[in-house]
């Protein structure tokens, strides 16, 4: 990825300043002829945007751009042509400023005119590619029903206040004084019809079958065997 950015910048400079030498090394004294130094000085993190997240990871490459020539006037002209061309390019960010003297000392150079050229580099995300929907969506109604039930204890005594739950749906109800309960809007699929009954720290789980009674007059009977006290 970085080498692609290097080559892209070299090609860009070659179009702006044809016939000019282009180097990726740090700027130095004593260059022959005339040329441009594109030195990758630093990297920076790019804050993610919605498009970045879809396209992949992104960072910024900061290139220190300097020029050299046999005389200062020519070097300045080369630098001016580049900086104005960069400002007109929407793919670049241009930073103008003043490098600390310590930076130039590290290059063993006296301070010289420059600008920083910033370009983004993206790394595509690796992952499954979602397939396009090629057929119309089919929406089917799910059958729902009411579930009428009654909880009985030993001797078929109605259990009042028992907690009746369908865990998959989060429905919670309590039995009335006759041990009766009604669970509304229960899907017909058996995956959602496991019933859990809690009474005095005891738990009973039942999955009714399709043929069992289920009506207001003939409710589903759940017999709860309680331990003797």
């Amino acid at each position: 990825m970085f080498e692609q950015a290097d080559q892209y910048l070299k090609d860009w400079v070659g179009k702006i300043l044809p016939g000019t030498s282009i180097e990726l090394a740090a700027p130095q004294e004593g260059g022959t002829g005339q040329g441009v130094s594109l030195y990758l000085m630093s990297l920076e993190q790019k804050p993610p945007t919605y498009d970045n997240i879809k396209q992949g990871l992104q960072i910024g490459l900061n290139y220190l751009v300097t020029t050299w020539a046999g005389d200062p006037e020519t070097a300045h002209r080369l630098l001016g042509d580049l900086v104005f061309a960069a400002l007109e390019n929407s793919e670049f960010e241009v930073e103008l400023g003043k490098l600390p003297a310590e930076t130039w000392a590290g290059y063993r150079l006296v301070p010289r005119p420059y600008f920083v050229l910033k370009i983004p580099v993206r790394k595509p995300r690796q992952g499954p590619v979602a397939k396009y929907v090629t057929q119309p969506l089919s929406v089917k109604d799910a059958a729902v029903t009411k579930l009428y039930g009654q909880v009985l204890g030993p001797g078929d005594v109605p259990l009042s206040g028992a907690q009746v739950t369908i865990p998959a749906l989060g429905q919670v109800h309590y039995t009335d004084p006759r041990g009766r309960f009604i669970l509304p809007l229960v899907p017909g699929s058996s995956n959602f019809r496991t019933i859990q009954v809690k009474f005095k720290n005891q738990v009973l789980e039942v999955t009714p079958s399709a043929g069992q009674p289920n009506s207001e007059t003939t409710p589903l009977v759940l017999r709860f065997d309680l331990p003797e006290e």
Side-chain angles (χ1 to χ4, degrees):
M1 290 176 292
F2 285 18
E3 65 274 14
Q4 294 174 349
D6 291 341
Q7 189 60 51
Y8 179 78
L9 281 184
K10 291 173 69 175
D11 293 342
W12 173 76
V13 172
K15 294 178 182 178
I16 305 300
L17 303 174
T20 302
S21 297
I22 304 170
E23 294 186 0
L24 298 175
Q28 56 186 340
E29 294 284 5
T32 59
Q34 62 183 38
V36 177
S37 170
L38 303 171
Y39 179 57
L40 181 55
M41 183 173 59
S42 64
L43 313 179
E44 67 179 8
Q45 186 175 3
K46 287 289 186 180
T49 64
Y50 178 73
D51 289 335
N52 295 155
I53 293 174
K54 293 191 299 181
Q55 296 174 6
L57 304 175
Q58 177 176 269
I59 62 172
L61 305 185
N62 300 332
Y63 287 84
L64 178 66
V65 182
T66 57
T67 57
W68 76 86
D71 58 88
E73 291 82 1
T74 302
H76 295 170
R77 177 181 59 80
L78 298 177
L79 190 67
D81 290 345
L82 284 178
V83 71
F84 280 110
L87 289 170
E88 293 176 349
N89 192 322
S90 61
E91 297 182 11
F92 299 152
E93 291 183 41
V94 175
E95 182 180 282
L96 304 176
K98 183 178 180 181
L99 286 179
E102 294 81 2
T103 301
W104 294 112
Y107 299 143
R108 297 182 179 180
L109 294 173
V110 295
R112 60 177 59 186
Y114 76 96
F115 67 92
V116 176
L117 190 60
K118 300 184 174 186
I119 64 173
V121 173
R122 296 184 180 91
K123 180 180 180 181
R125 289 186 179 275
Q126 302 296 326
V129 178
K131 296 182 179 180
Y132 289 103
V133 177
T134 58
Q135 298 179 350
L137 295 177
S138 176
V139 180
K140 297 182 179 180
D141 294 332
V144 293
T145 184
K146 290 183 179 181
L147 183 61
Y148 298 90
Q150 184 179 30
V151 180
L152 302 178
D156 286 347
V157 176
L159 297 182
S160 175
Q163 178 181 293
V164 182
T165 307
I166 297 183
L169 301 179
Q171 294 189 22
V172 179
H173 295 268
Y174 292 88
T175 56
D176 63 16
R178 297 187 299 162
R180 297 286 188 101
F181 65 89
I182 300 175
L183 297 176
L185 302 178
V186 178
S189 171
S190 61
N191 295 333
F192 297 97
R193 297 189 63 183
T194 297
I195 302 173
Q196 186 180 84
V197 182
K198 294 182 180 179
F199 187 77
K200 290 187 176 181
N201 298 322
Q202 302 296 314
V203 178
L204 170 69
E205 288 192 351
V206 179
T207 302
S209 62
Q212 290 184 272
N214 178 29
S215 68
E216 189 171 3
T217 56
T218 309
L220 172 69
V221 176
L222 304 178
R223 286 184 166 81
F224 207 109
D225 293 329
L226 296 174
E228 295 183 0
E229 297 182 355

